[in-house]
Amino acid sequence: ATPWDWLTVNAGWEADVVSGASVAIKAGAAYAAAHPGADVISTASVNDFRNVALGGFTVRKEAVSFTAGYAYSTEHDYRSNSFNLAARTETYEHNTQLEIDYAHNFDQVCNRVQDATNDSPTLYHALENSTGCFTNNPLRVTDDIAIDSLQASWSQAWTPVFQTQLVYTAQILNGLQSDPYRSVIIFNGDVAQEHVPDMRIREAVAVRANFFLRPLRAAVRFSLRAYNDTWNIYSGTAQAEFEKYLGEPFRLTARARLYAQSGAIFWSDDYTGGQAPLGPKGSYWTGDRELSPFWSWSVGGRAVYTLTPSKGRLLRVMTSFKAAASFDVVNDTYSQFTLGGVPIDNAHEFIGQLSLTALF
């Protein structure tokens, strides 16, 4: 709502319902050789229900605006308090936009209470389930994670049909970042809860360009993004998009994306080769395939239809109505993460989305 020209306020509620299989234990080749079929041991489907309550406001004066917001979210095993601040200005006849955003999260993760005599992560056991989390259960403990995020962007309209954007993002995470449910079979076949560093610093730079092709009534967009972090992961992303306007209300979009990354410095698909994890890779171990070297590509499309009356309101109440549908195919290739000792080189994901938006 915008009660005055200089003020906009917002409030909302979001909900996510999710279910899916999860890797319970990741074993290495040496262990799997003695225990056939034990390379990856899955657990039953994970079910969760996340609620988010949020609100904020924006104050404007001429070409400058300031935004502040807050969000609180709950899950069975995770809670988050976060606030964000942003400042934006436009100059050079509104052709240049500069914006800076900052956000801080005070998050809590549910974990299992370990045996008091276990003073080494090699003896930690994974969380069995989320039962008893955040209820003063003596078998559950709450670990903190703090997240500081910063983003700065420069958007520039060079001509009426050509625009660019430069974006820098940085993030500092401090706290439990391991999956408390995941175990890794380590030295001598011991099963230990996943253990990764508590501190992670991430940076990324992205460049985007938009062209409007007037003769075709179409737009093309390109973007490149480079990323690195203190876990020694480097990645690059390239994206391209073509959007065609079929009259004022209807748009069709085709898009493609290519992504590649290196693995974390402590990543290994096999910690059971006779050497304790307190070696060249550091005292950390993980079964997360997203921390391994991999690359992926995706292709997809989107259709959007927007209905806006030239006068009056739709059904006497709506100022506009929009329907959108999209479908994407993603292919992932993991060079080191294995199933049964075989690298995964043709993992497909199919993503469909349908949305309906009504403005009043």
Side-chain angles (χ1 to χ4, degrees):
T2 304
W4 300 281
D5 291 340
W6 56 271
L7 176 66
T8 297
V9 295
N10 70 283
W13 168 75
E14 299 175 1
D16 292 311
V17 180
V18 61
S19 66
S22 176
V23 173
I25 301 177
K26 184 70 177 77
Y31 184 87
H35 303 78
D39 184 63
V40 170
I41 302 174
S42 295
T43 188
S45 293
V46 174
N47 297 280
D48 211 336
F49 181 34
R50 182 175 72 107
N51 284 276
V52 184
L54 52 88
F57 64 89
T58 298
V59 177
R60 290 177 297 273
K61 184 177 181 180
E62 298 178 351
V64 178
S65 64
F66 298 93
T67 299
Y70 170 79
Y72 175 68
S73 68
T74 63
E75 303 173 42
H76 295 331
D77 53 13
Y78 199 96
R79 289 182 177 177
S80 175
N81 289 274
S82 64
F83 70 86
N84 66 283
L85 301 170
R88 177 178 176 176
T89 185
E90 298 179 355
T91 185
Y92 297 111
E93 298 181 351
H94 302 283
N95 290 322
T96 301
Q97 296 178 355
L98 301 174
E99 183 170 352
I100 187 167
D101 301 82
Y102 170 76
H104 183 80
N105 284 48
F106 304 89
D107 295 356
Q108 294 180 316
V109 188
C110 180
N111 201 357
R112 171 178 172 163
V113 172
Q114 304 296 336
D115 188 336
T117 62
N118 293 349
D119 58 356
S120 171
T122 60
L123 303 176
Y124 289 177
H125 298 288
L127 182 67
E128 302 89 346
N129 52 58
S130 61
T131 302
C133 289
F134 306 119
T135 62
N136 296 320
N137 189 310
L139 301 179
R140 298 290 180 260
V141 66
T142 299
D143 290 314
D144 296 328
I145 177 170
I147 306 173
D148 290 282
S149 304
L150 177 71
Q151 177 171 292
S153 66
W154 166 37
S155 302
Q156 183 67 46
W158 300 98
T159 73
V161 297
F162 176 50
Q163 297 178 344
T164 61
Q165 186 179 59
L166 177 65
V167 181
Y168 170 79
T169 58
Q171 192 175 68
I172 301 175
L173 302 93
N174 187 16
L176 179 66
Q177 299 178 59
S178 306
D179 184 336
Y181 298 98
R182 183 185 292 129
S183 297
V184 179
I185 297 180
I186 55 173
F187 182 59
N188 285 339
D190 292 335
V191 180
Q193 184 185 55
E194 180 179 84
H195 182 55
V196 303
D198 288 341
M199 176 66 72
R200 188 179 190 183
I201 302 175
R202 310 199 278 199
E203 291 183 294
V205 176
V207 179
R208 305 184 180 106
N210 298 339
F211 301 86
F212 183 68
L213 308 176
R214 281 177 172 169
L216 299 178
R217 287 188 54 80
V220 291
R221 304 182 181 94
F222 303 96
S223 68
L224 295 173
R225 181 177 183 268
Y227 165 94
N228 78 288
D229 63 26
T230 53
W231 291 3
N232 208 41
I233 293 179
Y234 294 85
S235 73
T237 309
Q239 295 185 179
E241 187 176 282
F242 178 82
E243 185 176 55
K244 172 65 176 173
Y245 294 79
L246 303 176
E248 290 298 326
F250 194 47
R251 290 178 291 158
L252 289 176
T253 303
R255 56 196 178 197
R257 177 180 183 269
L258 182 64
Y259 174 83
Q261 76 167 45
S262 63
I265 192 172
F266 50 86
W267 161 262
S268 175
D269 193 56
D270 189 353
Y271 295 96
T272 64
Q275 181 181 12
L278 300 171
K281 292 181 179 294
S283 56
Y284 304 108
W285 47 90
T286 177
D288 188 354
R289 64 181 181 271
E290 303 301 328
L291 296 179
S292 74
F294 78 95
W295 67 278
S296 70
W297 57 262
S298 67
V299 293
R302 187 168 187 256
V304 179
Y305 183 82
T306 304
L307 187 58
T308 303
S310 57
K311 59 181 180 178
R313 294 175 177 259
L314 296 172
L315 302 178
R316 296 186 178 182
V317 293
M318 291 184 290
T319 58
S320 71
F321 177 81
K322 181 172 69 175
S326 65
F327 185 77
D328 294 272
V329 178
V330 183
N331 180 277
D332 297 316
T333 296
Y334 298 90
S335 59
Q336 294 185 15
F337 186 86
T338 62
L339 288 174
V342 179
I344 302 172
D345 59 1
N346 196 28
H348 281 86
E349 302 145 39
F350 303 95
I351 304 170
Q353 181 176 354
L354 174 66
S355 67
L356 304 173
T357 306
L359 299 182
F360 300 89

